[in-house]
Each structure stands twice: as structure tokens, then as C-alpha cells.
Amino acid sequence: PPLVVFMVGRTSTTWPRIARAGVFCVNVLAAHQGAMCRGFAVSGGDKFAGVDHEPAPFSGAPRLTGAAAWIDCAIHAVHTGGDHLIVVGRVEALGSGDADATPLLFHRGRLL
């Protein structure tokens, strides 16, 4: 099956909620969503306050409005990796948002 991987710090306060749910949705932000990206990068608070989203079709996890693409997953495996966990997700559904959207990139310490 198609798989995706992400790494999460062992001290993450969000990870336990994702682990309990057993599912997650990866949102590929569009170039115009830099402020949203910065908002999700800050610890604490309600990261979804004021963020338009709807439930992803498989997991029900937040699928962000305006994202360039989304990947709806079930947790397939979790491996230790130093001070991080390596989370492998099995892709259950995916799609694109605006076909003309350019993905948001992070390179050399800045958003592009």
C-alpha cells in the first residue's frame, strides 16, 4: 500500500492525541498559507481556531480549506528514532485542492 512518513518529537503534546485516534490527515499547504503554517508551528493553544476545515473522508481528521493537497492516513507503524518517533501512515484517501495552487515550501530557514 502507499505509505507516508513523518517524524515527531517525543515531547510533542499533539502526538498522543494522534496516536490515540490512530489516524491523521497530511495537508500540503499552498504558497499563500504561510501565516497558517506559522500558526501551526507555535506550541500550545487551539491551532484550529479560525482555520476553515472539514473532515477528511477516511479519518475525519481536519482537511484544511485551501490546501494544495491532502493525504488521509491510518497509522501503520511507529518506530523509535533517537529523540523522535518515526510514524508510518498507510494512505487511505488523497486529493488535491486548487489545481493551480503552488505548494508552500520551507528552505534554508524560510518559507517560499
Side-chain angles (χ1 to χ4, degrees):
L3 302 172
V4 296
V5 175
F6 71 91
M7 279 58 116
V8 61
R10 288 179 183 243
T11 60
S12 168
T13 57
T14 303
W15 168 246
R17 288 179 271 175
I18 295 171
R20 275 192 305 278
V23 293
F24 61 93
C25 184
V26 175
N27 288 275
V28 179
L29 298 181
H32 69 276
Q33 294 177 306
M36 183 185 298
C37 178
R38 286 185 207 88
F40 279 111
V42 175
S43 293
D46 180 0
K47 295 181 189 303
F48 291 95
V51 175
D52 290 333
H53 61 281
E54 62 186 23
F58 171 77
S59 67
R63 186 171 75 178
L64 304 179
T65 302
W70 54 272
I71 308 166
D72 200 9
C73 302
I75 295 175
H76 179 73
V78 179
H79 307 283
T80 56
D83 62 349
H84 281 68
L85 297 172
I86 303 163
V87 181
V88 182
R90 183 180 63 251
V91 177
E92 299 290 345
L94 60 109
S96 61
D98 179 358
D100 297 325
T102 301
L104 179 65
L105 301 176
F106 184 80
H107 179 68
R108 295 188 176 183
R110 62 187 183 109
L111 297 173
L112 305 173

